Amino acid sequence: MTLPQRREIETDQRLRLLVGLVVVVAILITATSLPVAARSAVTATPTDIAVLVVLTVAIALGTLVKARVRIRSTTHSISWTEAAIIIGLAIAPAQSVVLCTAVGITFASLRLPPIKMAFSVGKNVIVAWGAGITLAMTTWTWPPENTVALIVPVAASYLVAALLDDLLAIPVIALASGTKIAKQFRTNLDLRLAGFAVRFVVAVCTLLILDANFKLLLAIPPLVLSLHLGYSTRIRSRTEQQAWQRLARTTDALNVVDLDTVLTTAVTQAAELFSADEVEIELRLGGRTVRGGTGGITFDGPIGTPAEVDGTIVPAPLEGHDRTVDVGILRLRFRGPVQLSEREQYTLRTFASALCTAVRNAQAYAELARVADEHAYAAAHDALTGLANRRHLLDEGTEQLSTRHADGVTALVLIDLNHFKEVNDTLGHAAGDQVLVQVADRLRGAAQASDLVARLGGDEFAVLLRGLPAPAVAAHRAETLLAALHEPFELDGMRISVEASGGISVAPSSGGMAELLRRADVAMYQAKRAGQRIATYAPTRDTADLGRLTLGGDLPRAVADHEFVVNFQPIVDLGTGEVTSAEALARWHHPTHGMIDPLRFLEAVERSGLLPAFAEAILDQALIAAANWRDAGFDVPVAVNVSPRSLLDARFPGSVLARLRAHDLPPDRLVLELTETLTLSQLDVVDRVLSRLRDEGVRLALDDFGTGYSSLSLLSRIPVHELKIDRSFVTTMESSAEAAAVIRSTLDLGRSLNLDVVAEGVESEPQRRALWELGCVAGQGHLFARPMPAGTLLAAMQRGSGGRPGTLAAPLHDAGAVIRLSQNRRQTGRSRPDRLPHLPA
Ligand code: C2E
Ligand code: CA
Ligand code: CA
């Protein structure tokens, strides 16, 4: 049972109790009056009987002729009953009048429900009895001696009658309408008082006329009728005026843009305006129903839920004046049978139309607000990942940096996925998108509440770190973020690893957010260039004037004008110092920026679609150099770096082989250095390209070995000839047992798979010796030579070291080590027996 239902039952019980009480008192009064009345009936003259009959009829008529006021489903009326009773009491015995009242009222209220009839009869019996006693207590005689002797007792008796009437009726009305007794008492008090006064005057006049001349009584009915009409018209126009005022106030109150407010106002105001027990509004848009009463909304939910109140339902469609729009329906519900007056019907139509407009306005406003919100969201977020976009990041960062007393340090981590374009190109954009979404999720998961994770576009992400306790914490946090990307991504059953590089910058003192972003960008390129996962911005290494993004536009010209040149870095036999091959490393000879390193333009080249032209240009220059060296007596192979994306091109092997033929070089004079990436490991086309090249005799090397994610599983798929130990291991091999272990196991692997192993980044003699002692035969690095133009390298080889042409370093003189290692070295593919004589035996 709901609360309103329970309350209603309680109200009902109280009403019954009250009515019961009234009826019991009235029955007692009637019972005591009966014997006296019966006794006086014995001595009654026909005139007396006629008077009593007329009186009964007058009381009945006075009850029937009334001004009606409807409150909820109950209509309340103000009648002439008490005037008729008073006149009766003045001229006939009180007990008889009580009986006449009981009979008259019973007849008058025959059409009413029993409970109302009982109450009406009971109340008026009590009123008649009270007024009768009052009159008896005065010095009343009929006919009266003078006017004063008439007016004073009648006034006293009338006062009691009026008081009793209100005292009994008001609590019942208040209970039935759910209003406060005090409020009910004040309602229309002025009109009620005036009504009482008029009826009192009529009663007194009637008595005076009766006293003076019986015949004048004929003048009473027209007088009463006109007074009655005037009074009820007054009451009606008063009610109407109030109703219009309320309607005007209500439609005014509906003039708000919030739909919920509109509905709440409409429900409470309609309940009050139409005295409805419940008001229901059903909106077509959104299928929403709200219900409630004067107290507010009691239900808000979908259409179709049954209402609590049944009885009369008065519906009003919520449509515009022209009936073209139809937003829903308004229903007034009443417990009892109710018929709206014409005025009320008109009010209802007006109200419904105002509500229709208000609802439409609110709905339109909500839609506008939603669209505006959506725009604001879309303007600040990346549609694919839901992360903040570049603009939002810049805004937030700017705000953070401009907050004077912001707590802690602000830093930015820029994260760039390596070789992401391959994912797109090989697995399709949908897969690429999935990876980006997963990357976004992981970054979000790894970020802290105060961080802002953003996608800057493409495969570039950024995380704004706010409130760091110290600048150094930024590096730690960046590690955590990048570590989150370490585990392979699950893509339709495939596992894909994505490598990422990170750049960190800590809030600059000037330049704001743009500078912070630029520095993070520079740091990221420093990381890529240094072969590290993460780098922190260092001003000393900042070559900002070469903004890498502007380089993109220069690329087509660079290819057309042959601005790409190749430097060669020799690879030497660690034992003898003899040059065994050379790696071709691309440079961009930019007309205004000068020499530019490959890490700064390679990605732009790969993205630009100019990769085939670029790769061909580099290969050409490398093969020309190798041919020249051979012609000069140094028949060393040349190693060329290959972009993973080139391996996706089925025409690549054909183009390489054609270049080799054009320069009249056997395929085994060319080493192609491959980096381990997703593309290499997972695609058939790559398998075919590499098999074709290998079958034709081209040598394959795995570059940066040890840094990739699946080095070993990769090796089983791609049969290469050579491994290149990544520079980072060589650099740290003396201090890091881990790095040394990687080198050792790579060398073991090389021996067991019969692969050549080349150590990159050899910068010192101790490194060279340590590598040599571990069984590494070949090395490359600044210790021997930096990358240089082909001609310079030829000259260096011709000059030689210590008078021996072809060498770039003095041989190692550790006989024990050489003898011990020579057996191992014999087993490796690259070691040639003819070199052994150079070594001390
Ligand atoms: P990589 O293949 O690992 O090349 C070795 C890089 O290490 C070169 O940088 C080289 O200059 C540098 N290096 C050599 N010895 C030392 C040393 O002792 N110490 C230090 N600190 N560095 C040393 P570079 O020329 O900047 O090339 C960077 C990367 O760019 C290369 O790494 C390679 O992956 C790529 N790359 C270069 N040229 C080409 C090209 O023609 N095509 C493609 N696809 N990639 C290229
Ligand atoms: Ca390389
Ligand atoms: Ca390398």
Side-chain angles (χ1 to χ4, degrees):
M1 200 191 303
T2 63
L3 194 68
Q5 277 173 340
R6 200 173 316 142
R7 205 171 291 151
E8 195 172 305
I9 286 175
E10 278 168 23
T11 310
D12 247 35
Q13 283 169 346
R14 258 183 256 161
L15 255 180
R16 256 179 253 264
L17 201 73
L18 205 66
V19 173
L21 211 69
V22 168
V23 170
V24 166
V25 172
I27 287 175
L28 284 177
I29 293 168
T30 318
T32 51
S33 305
L34 257 175
V36 184
R39 239 177 286 132
S40 63
V42 177
T43 58
T45 62
T47 320
D48 292 342
I49 306 274
V51 164
L52 289 181
V53 170
V54 168
L55 189 63
T56 308
V57 171
I59 289 172
L61 279 178
T63 308
L64 284 172
V65 181
K66 45 189 156 189
R68 287 163 200 277
V69 180
R70 185 180 61 76
I71 293 172
R72 294 184 189 247
S73 47
T74 334
T75 306
H76 303 278
S77 36
I78 293 134
S79 68
W80 288 90
T81 318
E82 89 275 3
I85 292 174
I86 296 296
I87 294 170
L89 287 172
I91 57 175
Q95 291 80 0
S96 308
V97 175
V98 166
L99 291 181
C100 291
T101 303
V103 174
I105 304 278
T106 305
F107 273 111
S109 43
L110 271 177
R111 294 223 321 255
L112 289 184
I115 182 158
K116 286 190 185 168
M117 175 164 140
F119 177 72
S120 190
V121 173
K123 182 190 79 174
N124 284 302
V125 164
I126 296 174
V127 166
W129 173 77
I133 289 188
T134 313
L135 199 64
M137 288 190 317
T138 62
T139 53
W140 180 255
T141 49
W142 181 257
E145 279 158 26
N146 52 41
T147 311
V148 176
L150 183 141
I151 289 177
V152 173
V154 167
S157 153
Y158 196 100
L159 199 66
V160 170
L163 273 178
L164 273 175
D165 195 274
D166 264 7
L167 236 53
L168 292 171
I170 283 174
V172 174
I173 296 175
L175 253 183
S177 64
T179 44
K180 291 241 162 61
I181 291 184
K183 187 187 170 202
Q184 198 57 49
F185 184 77
R186 282 194 304 272
T187 323
N188 288 329
L189 187 63
D190 53 341
L191 269 183
R192 289 208 327 274
L193 287 178
F196 277 129
V198 167
R199 290 195 297 274
F200 171 69
V201 170
V202 169
V204 168
C205 288
T206 310
L207 288 174
L208 285 175
I209 290 167
L210 275 177
D211 185 24
N213 187 342
F214 213 73
K215 284 182 194 141
L216 278 179
L217 208 56
L218 283 177
I220 297 289
L223 177 71
V224 167
L225 199 69
S226 58
L227 278 174
H228 174 79
L229 284 179
Y231 181 68
S232 50
T233 311
R234 184 89 192 85
I235 280 225
R236 210 176 304 131
S237 68
R238 163 78 72 97
T239 325
E240 226 147 277
Q241 196 185 359
Q242 284 173 347
W244 285 125
Q245 279 167 357
R246 236 181 309 155
L247 178 64
R249 272 202 306 275
T250 307
T251 48
D252 256 8
L254 287 178
N255 239 334
V256 288
V257 289
D258 175 51
L259 185 61
D260 286 344
T261 315
V262 167
L263 294 177
T264 310
T265 309
V267 164
T268 50
Q269 300 287 316
E272 187 147 342
L273 206 55
F274 302 101
S275 295
D277 290 305
E278 189 177 72
V279 175
E280 179 178 279
I281 299 171
E282 206 175 276
L283 296 183
R284 238 167 275 296
L285 191 80
R288 179 178 178 190
T289 304
V290 291
R291 282 191 207 112
T294 44
I297 301 282
T298 54
F299 173 86
D300 188 345
I303 285 179
T305 31
E308 275 163 17
V309 173
D310 31 54
T312 314
I313 299 173
V314 182
L318 300 178
E319 49 186 24
H321 297 290
D322 47 3
R323 311 231 162 143
T324 49
V325 283
D326 168 24
V327 303
I329 192 157
L330 166 76
R331 292 193 191 94
L332 306 179
R333 292 175 181 274
F334 301 91
R335 281 180 220 291
V338 163
Q339 183 108 50
L340 293 193
S341 71
E342 215 164 302
R343 192 261 310 158
E344 284 174 322
Q345 282 172 22
Y346 185 78
T347 308
L348 181 60
R349 280 201 296 278
T350 311
F351 181 84
S353 159
L355 178 58
C356 170
T357 309
V359 167
R360 281 178 66 202
N361 285 348
Q363 283 174 343
Y365 183 84
E367 179 62 16
L368 274 180
R370 193 186 60 74
V371 169
D373 274 359
E374 236 174 55
H375 280 178
Y377 185 86
H381 289 82
D382 168 45
L384 177 65
T385 60
L387 294 179
N389 61 14
R390 177 185 291 267
R391 205 176 105 185
H392 191 49
L393 176 81
L394 287 176
D395 287 352
E396 288 282 309
T398 304
E399 177 165 349
Q400 179 69 20
L401 292 178
S402 63
T403 311
R404 277 275 161 84
H405 304 292
D407 274 349
V409 179
T410 306
L412 188 73
V413 181
L414 203 68
I415 297 167
D416 188 272
L417 308 184
N418 300 334
H419 305 296
F420 177 72
K421 199 170 190 301
E422 293 156 37
V423 178
N424 264 342
D425 289 348
T426 58
L427 303 177
H429 281 271
D433 285 358
Q434 276 189 53
V435 169
L436 291 175
V437 168
Q438 291 188 34
V439 166
D441 286 346
R442 293 216 192 152
L443 289 179
R444 225 183 260 130
Q448 296 188 354
S450 55
D451 298 345
L452 179 72
V453 185
R455 178 175 169 223
L456 302 183
D459 52 3
E460 231 179 25
F461 295 84
V463 182
L464 184 69
L465 308 174
R466 292 178 275 209
L468 297 178
V473 179
H476 175 70
R477 296 288 312 284
E479 281 288 351
T480 312
L481 288 165
L482 280 173
L485 306 181
H486 198 69
E487 278 292 302
F489 291 88
E490 204 69 51
L491 248 196
D492 304 326
M494 246 193 299
R495 282 163 73 76
I496 288 182
S497 292
V498 174
E499 291 171 65
S501 306
I504 307 165
S505 62
V506 176
S509 53
S510 66
M513 191 54 197
E515 178 62 10
L516 190 66
L517 193 60
R518 192 193 68 78
R519 290 185 176 188
D521 196 56
V522 169
M524 195 184 69
Y525 273 80
Q526 285 166 355
K528 286 203 175 190
R529 186 169 178 175
Q532 300 162 342
R533 228 159 41 127
I534 303 175
T536 302
Y537 173 78
T540 48
R541 286 185 289 168
D542 189 354
T543 45
D545 52 325
L546 299 172
R548 71 176 165 104
L549 296 175
T550 61
L551 293 176
D554 295 357
L555 283 176
R557 191 207 56 225
V559 173
D561 294 0
H562 308 286
E563 287 173 15
F564 293 111
V565 295
V566 179
N567 279 354
F568 296 88
Q569 186 177 37
I571 296 167
V572 304
D573 183 309
L574 287 178
T576 64
E578 190 184 348
V579 176
T580 57
S581 63
E583 179 179 359
L585 293 162
R587 301 286 178 265
W588 183 357
H589 191 81
H590 195 281
T592 52
H593 296 314
M595 271 312 177
I596 303 175
D597 287 347
L599 285 179
R600 303 201 52 211
F601 62 77
L602 270 176
E603 196 161 301
V605 168
E606 288 180 359
R607 282 171 196 250
S608 68
L610 292 165
L611 183 65
F614 167 81
E616 199 153 307
I618 302 299
L619 184 65
D620 244 354
Q621 291 186 47
L623 294 181
I624 289 170
N628 282 342
W629 298 330
R630 180 196 56 193
D631 295 347
F634 297 96
D635 189 11
V636 290
V638 69
V640 173
N641 291 285
V642 177
S643 267
R645 280 175 48 70
S646 295
L647 303 177
L648 298 172
D649 184 355
R651 290 164 307 185
F652 181 68
S655 135
V656 169
L657 295 169
R659 299 281 102 202
L660 278 166
R661 274 195 300 279
H663 295 288
D664 193 25
L665 276 175
D668 71 352
R669 298 293 83 186
L670 175 64
V671 180
L672 294 180
E673 296 194 359
L674 320 167
T675 38
E676 314 161 45
T677 67
L678 151 81
T679 329
L680 290 184
S681 60
Q682 280 166 344
L683 291 151
D684 292 346
V685 60
V686 174
D687 282 5
R688 284 200 300 278
V689 164
L690 291 177
S691 303
R692 166 106 197 268
L693 288 167
R694 201 189 138 93
D695 292 350
E696 294 285 345
V698 174
R699 296 176 64 83
L700 303 176
L702 263 187
D703 209 348
D704 306 338
F705 193 77
T707 58
Y709 46 90
S710 52
S711 305
L712 287 178
S713 68
L714 195 79
L715 270 182
S716 63
R717 294 268 321 263
I718 303 167
V720 297
H721 303 91
E722 181 181 315
L723 303 178
K724 294 189 80 174
I725 298 175
D726 191 66
R727 196 172 80 218
S728 57
F729 301 111
V730 175
T731 308
T732 55
M733 68 181 292
E734 289 150 306
S735 58
S736 155
E738 228 176 284
V742 171
I743 294 176
R744 206 173 296 124
S745 61
T746 307
L747 289 165
D748 280 347
L749 189 73
R751 272 191 288 274
S752 52
L753 294 180
N754 204 18
L755 307 175
D756 288 354
V757 178
V758 179
E760 289 182 324
V762 184
E763 292 182 343
S764 67
E765 275 296 339
Q767 284 171 347
R768 174 192 180 187
R769 179 169 292 275
L771 285 163
W772 171 255
E773 284 174 356
L774 285 172
C776 185
V777 179
Q780 166 186 8
H782 293 170
L783 174 65
F784 307 108
R786 290 182 182 252
M788 57 187 101
T792 314
L793 179 56
L794 180 57
M797 285 194 288
Q798 284 169 334
R799 218 175 28 249
S801 161
R804 293 175 301 128
T807 63
L808 286 176
L812 287 174
H813 295 292
D814 187 337
V818 172
I819 288 163
R820 181 163 52 80
L821 290 168
S822 58
Q823 275 90 32
N824 285 338
R825 290 168 58 216
R826 268 177 202 286
Q827 296 161 14
T828 66
R830 189 190 285 269
S831 307
R832 283 181 294 181
D834 58 280
R835 284 194 198 156
L836 288 175
H838 288 295
L839 299 166

